[in-house]
Amino acid sequence: VAQTASDLRPAIAPVSPTSGVWVQAAAFADAAQARRAAERLGGTARVEGGQANWRVLVGPWPDQAAAERSRRAVVSRGYPDALLISGG
């Protein structure tokens, strides 16, 4: 089955992540900016939020060590304020 460009876009989720450890790469007031950041990060990056607060999340990771490795990779890709957050 062929995928369209919209199938490949990062998901925009209306609710907070509920399990695992996530990397918050960045936060934006504009959903389009958040989506572009998630697309640049690729992989498991997704957009979460609504109204005027959109977060770019990467994960979830099963433990703190894996999440920290991911956070360092996100920082090296131009998001120096990336931080770890826990779901659930």
Side-chain angles (χ1 to χ4, degrees):
V1 175
Q3 291 182 320
T4 66
S6 63
D7 293 335
L8 302 176
R9 288 186 191 162
I12 294 185
V15 296
S16 295
T18 58
S19 64
V21 183
W22 296 76
V23 175
Q24 179 177 310
F28 298 91
D30 179 65
Q33 286 180 314
R35 188 183 295 263
R36 283 191 296 274
E39 289 171 351
R40 282 191 297 270
L41 287 168
T44 62
R46 60 186 265 165
V47 176
E48 183 265 352
Q51 297 293 324
N53 186 20
W54 301 93
R55 301 186 304 170
V56 179
L57 303 177
V58 180
W61 303 103
D63 57 54
Q64 199 80 8
E68 177 57 24
R69 286 191 298 275
S70 177
R71 188 194 69 79
R72 282 182 281 191
V74 168
V75 167
S76 74
R77 296 189 66 192
Y79 299 90
D81 296 326
L83 53 94
L84 300 182
I85 59 172
S86 295

